[in-house]
Amino acid sequence: MFPADLFPDLSMPHLSILFLLGLALFGGTLGGKLFARMRIPQVVAYIVFGIILGKTGLNVVTEETLLMLQPFNYFALGLIGFMIGGELKTQTLARYGRQFLAILMAEGLITFFVVTGLVALVGALFIEQRGLVWALALLLGAIASATAPAATTDVLWEYKARGPLTTTILGIVALDDALSLMLFAVAASLASVLTGSGSGGILHLFTHPLVEIGGALATGALSGLILSLIIKKQSQEEKILALSLGAVLLVLGIAITLNIDVLMAAMALGVMIANITPRKSREIFSLVEKFTPPVYVLFFVLFGAKLNFGNVTTFLAGMVLVYLTGRTLGKMAGAALGARFSGAPAAVKKYLPFCLFSQAGVAIGLSILAGQRFPGEIGNIIVVIITTSTFFVQILGPPMVKMAIIRAGEAGKNFTEEDLIRRTRAKDIMDTQIPLIEENMPLRKVLAIVSEHPNLYYPVVDPNRKLIGIITIDNIKNTFITTGLHEFLLAHDLMESVAFTAEPDSLMVDVKAMMQDRQVDYCPVVSRNGRLEGFLESRSIQRLISRRIESIHSGEDRT
Amino acid sequence: MGIKEAVHPERVLLVRSVSKREALLEMIQCFEKRGEVKDIESLKEKIFYREKLMSTGIGLGIAVPHVRMEGIKEPLVVIGVSGHGIEDYGAIDNQIVRIVVMIVAGKEQHQKYIKLLAGVVTHLKRPGMIEKLVNAADTQEVYQAFMGADHVSG
């Protein structure tokens, strides 16, 4: 490991920040690709790269740098909240709302009780003061209930998940914040009584989180209303993107100033947009989504850099283990029970218990809050336990989510129109019922066929269905003056040669590009041995792709 | 582009051969001589392929072999008249063929090609045209009969 003072220049503030951002983006992304090849969610690579750069590793990221980049973390969180909000349509909430709530209460409360119990039990062996033990246990229990949306949703998006399990995960991680804030408030108030270090009164501790959550929802919702009114009239993509990002930043700024929950505010903004302007919102979220990758990479790299394992003692390591065991058991049991009692779909019952391990921003934030409110031993223990355990769950959590969504059959099902066009092959949408015309067919017969079909192009084939030419409506038009020749003119005399063909496996993007290049409105689809398999007309390509998207999406919704 | 432009006095011949194949080759030679068609082999192949699909003998002693091919700038016509008639042409009415008008157009000249084909057939079917052509003494007369000023439409 390099001593940090070998590179004193790296901590020069101006150079280092840009350099660091570049390094983080570059290294994180390349690492992510490497990990993706090893089938590990890319977010793990970002965090590991951050750990390498950070306090635990090379230590090239100074405390000031991290502090200076703090607003950036909020930005990332805001985007995550906004994107989650976009997934929460009123139909989804109406359909899954009760189920979400049941699972949320179960996994949150059970985790709280299990962690609190275990920590109290084990803690009592090492710490004499009963009050301190219970305070520690309650605070850790409350913090343990939080599930981090960032790493979880990153996996869902990376693997393009879609389905009941995915929807439930999104719903839970989105609402989870509110519950853990409430639990933390209760725990903190009890802890301050137990340790005798309370300040501000119990009532304040209860009302504050309510204000924080309510204020966040109100701020986000109001901003969403205003933004959707403004954005409705915009048609340029750049303007829509800029306005959306601007709105997210504004909401974040307001939330930080008012000291209300940042994630909830951004989420409420997303929910409003998605539900007020459902049509426009598709465009908005797909634009913002394209903007998010570098922000997420930086967020996770910086997150890793912040982790510090310098002061983990044996006692603390043991407590980390206890905390992790309790939290894992609590989350699994809670999710399983909640899913069972709410009558959730089978995939949710079976796999949700593996999806809620992630812990990050909220947990760390609460641990720091605890550190400030309970200076001294408890505060420090909490910060170290949460930081260290966060490292483990962030490394182990995402692969679990990945495994769950793959087993549940929800990976790779979330298609945007663009994805689908990118993935659509000629065989997926080609017309296989095309009227075939044989080379020696007299014009009379050709006309009879053409008059019965809406097609603009008619492939001419030999008896083995090998493509030899094409008859267009223009060619047909030329024959209007040939009334005497209907028996003598053959398809052969009318047909044109074919400009180009596609294979059944050709990607539609390539086919469309070729059609545009050559300014041809059709493309026969021909197998390697020259047999005509199907036909594409440019006027119907778009319609067929849209229909395919619809059928894929509706097919899933039925499950 | 009308029929007039496609016809040329030097692309008129009195066909000597009695078989369909020989007669068509004789007419194709006409292009070869004048260097108007570069790829004579391809022309032969295409002409015979089209005849194989279906005979171009359209009845009344008329045949109109026709093809499109690469390297032709403007449609060309060869007029062949056979005094004794071609018996094995396989015309639709089983009659011997006396007048063969071969049409060669450019590969992409779909419209001109069909128009010319239709124009030629209509032209040949005008009253008296067949007799005039068959009774012509030499190519000069054939040409004049075919081009007969007030008969040929653009």
Side-chain angles (χ1 to χ4, degrees):
Chain A
M1 213 142 284
F2 301 100
D5 52 12
L6 260 184
F7 306 100
D9 282 356
L10 286 182
S11 51
M12 263 169 59
H14 296 296
L15 182 71
S16 79
I17 278 219
L18 290 181
F19 183 76
L20 180 74
L21 291 179
L23 190 65
L25 262 183
F26 221 81
T29 309
L30 287 181
K33 290 212 99 168
L34 189 73
F35 271 49
R37 202 168 295 166
M38 298 190 288
R39 299 177 188 279
I40 303 171
Q42 303 186 21
V43 50
V44 180
Y46 309 152
I47 297 171
V48 168
F49 190 67
I51 293 173
I52 293 172
L53 292 182
K55 288 174 187 161
T56 315
L58 301 176
N59 200 16
V60 293
V61 189
T62 63
E63 192 74 35
E64 300 97 75
T65 312
L66 287 174
L67 218 62
M68 213 186 291
L69 289 173
Q70 184 58 29
F72 181 82
N73 289 340
Y74 283 124
F75 183 38
L77 269 180
L79 288 178
I80 290 163
F82 182 68
M83 293 302 293
I84 294 179
E87 310 270 350
L88 296 179
K89 305 255 168 71
T90 39
Q91 303 111 282
T92 315
L93 287 176
R95 202 157 140 197
Y96 298 110
R98 275 183 55 192
Q99 185 186 311
F100 285 172
L101 211 63
I103 296 174
L104 178 69
M105 294 308 275
E107 63 91 16
L109 290 175
I110 290 176
T111 306
F112 171 72
F113 287 122
V114 172
V115 170
T116 303
L118 265 183
V119 170
L121 211 66
V122 179
L125 301 175
F126 298 95
I127 303 171
E128 280 180 23
Q129 247 183 290
R130 275 276 176 86
L132 274 187
V133 174
W134 277 107
L136 181 69
L138 285 167
L139 289 170
L140 283 176
I143 295 172
S145 69
T147 316
T152 314
T153 51
D154 204 68
V155 176
L156 298 180
W157 286 324
E158 180 181 345
Y159 293 96
K160 305 225 172 268
R162 186 191 163 99
L165 177 63
T166 305
T167 309
T168 310
I169 297 174
L170 284 172
I172 299 294
V173 295
L175 303 170
D176 196 279
D177 253 23
L179 180 67
S180 43
L181 285 179
M182 296 296 294
L183 282 174
F184 185 78
V186 177
S189 67
L190 288 172
S192 49
V193 173
L194 287 165
T195 58
S197 65
S199 62
I202 291 178
L203 187 68
H204 174 74
L205 273 167
F206 276 105
T207 50
H208 183 68
L210 284 179
V211 172
E212 202 172 303
I213 294 163
L217 292 178
T219 308
L222 191 67
S223 313
L225 203 66
I226 297 168
L227 176 65
S228 44
L229 285 178
I230 294 170
I231 226 162
K232 245 184 207 168
K233 298 184 184 110
Q234 302 296 330
S235 55
Q236 274 177 289
E237 290 199 338
E238 309 87 77
K239 295 263 160 61
I240 293 174
L241 178 62
L243 282 170
S244 307
L245 291 178
V248 172
L249 287 168
L250 278 172
V251 166
L252 293 175
I254 294 169
I256 291 168
T257 311
L258 296 181
N259 199 17
I260 52 182
D261 192 70
V262 173
L263 190 75
M264 291 292 246
M267 199 186 74
L269 175 69
V271 171
M272 281 311 255
I273 300 280
N275 289 294
I276 295 181
T277 53
R279 267 169 194 283
K280 198 89 188 173
S281 75
R282 258 212 221 162
E283 193 181 355
I284 295 172
F285 288 106
S286 103
L287 284 171
V288 173
E289 194 185 357
K290 277 186 205 146
F291 179 86
T292 53
V295 182
Y296 288 176
V297 173
L298 283 180
F299 172 74
F300 289 115
V301 172
L302 292 173
F303 171 79
K306 235 182 297 179
L307 294 177
N308 186 2
F309 308 109
N311 35 14
V312 181
T313 63
T314 324
F315 161 67
L316 286 174
M319 291 309 285
V320 168
L321 203 65
V322 170
Y323 172 85
L324 279 176
T325 313
R327 185 169 180 276
T328 307
L329 289 177
K331 288 275 173 193
M332 290 186 76
L337 283 174
R340 175 163 304 175
F341 286 121
S342 63
V348 177
K349 279 186 210 154
K350 210 165 164 190
Y351 296 111
L352 186 67
F354 301 98
C355 297
L356 303 176
F357 299 140
S358 189
Q359 144 186 310
V362 175
I364 289 183
L366 289 177
S367 76
I368 291 168
L369 206 64
Q372 283 162 354
R373 204 185 298 257
F374 303 97
E377 207 176 356
I378 292 192
N380 284 336
I381 292 173
I382 290 176
V383 171
V384 175
I385 289 178
I386 296 303
T387 311
T388 316
S389 60
T390 296
F391 166 75
F392 286 109
V393 290
Q394 288 302 74
I395 300 294
L396 298 175
M400 298 292 249
V401 176
K402 179 200 155 190
M403 186 256 336
I405 52 165
I406 288 176
R407 293 250 174 114
E410 296 190 3
K413 291 251 173 99
N414 193 13
F415 305 107
T416 62
E417 199 150 328
E418 246 172 68
D419 288 329
L420 204 61
I421 293 170
R422 218 178 298 133
R423 274 197 233 172
T424 302
R425 293 177 189 280
K427 63 179 173 199
D428 298 328
I429 59 163
M430 68 187 183
D431 181 4
T432 51
Q433 307 293 318
I434 2 131
L436 296 178
I437 290 180
E438 286 195 15
E439 201 179 5
N440 58 358
M441 211 177 249
L443 175 59
R444 177 182 52 80
K445 251 173 136 178
V446 173
L447 288 177
I449 290 177
V450 170
S451 68
E452 279 167 16
H453 292 87
N455 306 40
L456 296 180
Y457 302 91
Y458 295 82
V460 180
V461 293
D462 73 2
N464 296 321
R465 221 185 142 109
K466 220 171 138 180
L467 180 71
I468 44 185
I470 191 107
I471 291 180
T472 71
I473 291 292
D474 272 345
N475 300 145
I476 298 288
K477 232 168 59 190
N478 294 339
T479 67
F480 289 172
I481 48 157
T482 64
T483 33
L485 295 175
H486 285 194
E487 283 304 328
F488 307 110
L489 274 180
L490 302 183
H492 175 85
D493 302 323
L494 306 176
M495 72 183 191
E496 299 181 11
S497 47
V498 177
F500 63 91
T501 60
E503 287 186 14
D505 278 326
S506 302
L507 287 168
M508 279 314 295
V509 238
D510 299 337
V511 176
K512 276 172 89 175
M514 193 132 80
M515 290 166 83
Q516 246 164 24
D517 268 8
R518 311 246 184 139
Q519 302 194 311
V520 176
D521 284 334
Y522 67 88
C523 178
V525 183
V526 170
S527 65
R528 290 248 161 105
N529 56 25
R531 199 183 125 93
L532 181 76
E533 302 291 345
F535 204 83
L536 296 161
E537 283 193 21
S538 68
R539 58 177 183 157
S540 54
I541 287 178
Q542 208 46 52
R543 180 170 46 87
L544 289 168
I545 289 179
S546 312
R547 198 189 293 165
R548 185 158 176 261
I549 296 173
E550 261 168 45
S551 78
I552 286 176
H553 282 180
S554 66
E556 257 165 52
D557 287 348
R558 260 180 265 124
T559 56
Chain B
M1 179 81 207
I3 302 173
K4 267 185 184 172
E5 286 89 336
V7 179
H8 189 277
E10 285 183 28
R11 281 198 306 265
V12 176
L13 70 157
L14 299 176
V15 177
R16 261 170 255 133
S17 314
V18 283
S19 80
K20 175 178 180 177
R21 187 175 169 79
E22 294 303 318
L24 289 175
L25 286 173
E26 219 178 300
M27 293 180 74
I28 290 169
Q29 257 175 12
C30 201
F31 285 120
E32 197 171 12
K33 264 187 236 152
R34 292 179 46 84
E36 283 159 333
V37 175
K38 303 256 151 45
D39 193 349
I40 288 292
E41 284 315 308
S42 161
L43 174 59
K44 284 181 191 165
E45 193 186 304
K46 285 178 194 299
I47 285 284
F48 289 120
Y49 181 74
R50 175 60 181 82
E51 293 301 325
K52 212 173 85 189
L53 286 176
M54 190 195 190
S55 170
T56 55
I58 59 171
L60 303 174
I62 301 170
V64 279
H66 51 277
V67 291
R68 280 165 300 172
M69 64 182 292
E70 307 251 20
I72 304 293
K73 288 199 192 77
E74 287 299 334
L76 302 169
V77 162
V78 178
I79 302 169
V81 174
S82 164
H84 33 72
I86 304 161
E87 280 182 37
D88 66 345
Y89 206 98
I92 186 147
D93 55 359
N94 286 323
Q95 300 270 326
I96 56 168
V97 167
R98 290 181 185 278
I99 300 162
V100 183
V101 178
M102 184 180 284
I103 297 167
V104 180
K107 195 159 187 267
E108 304 298 332
Q109 292 173 326
H110 315 294
Q111 195 183 354
K112 282 181 181 173
Y113 175 62
I114 298 293
K115 255 190 167 170
L116 183 60
L117 189 51
V120 164
V121 173
T122 316
H123 184 59
L124 290 172
K125 284 186 176 172
R126 284 172 195 245
M129 175 58 77
I130 296 172
E131 289 73 31
K132 264 192 224 165
L133 289 172
V134 171
N135 296 328
D138 53 24
T139 56
Q140 187 70 25
E141 269 183 46
V142 172
Y143 179 72
Q144 273 164 3
F146 190 85
M147 297 295 277
D150 42 311
H151 289 304
V152 181
S153 60

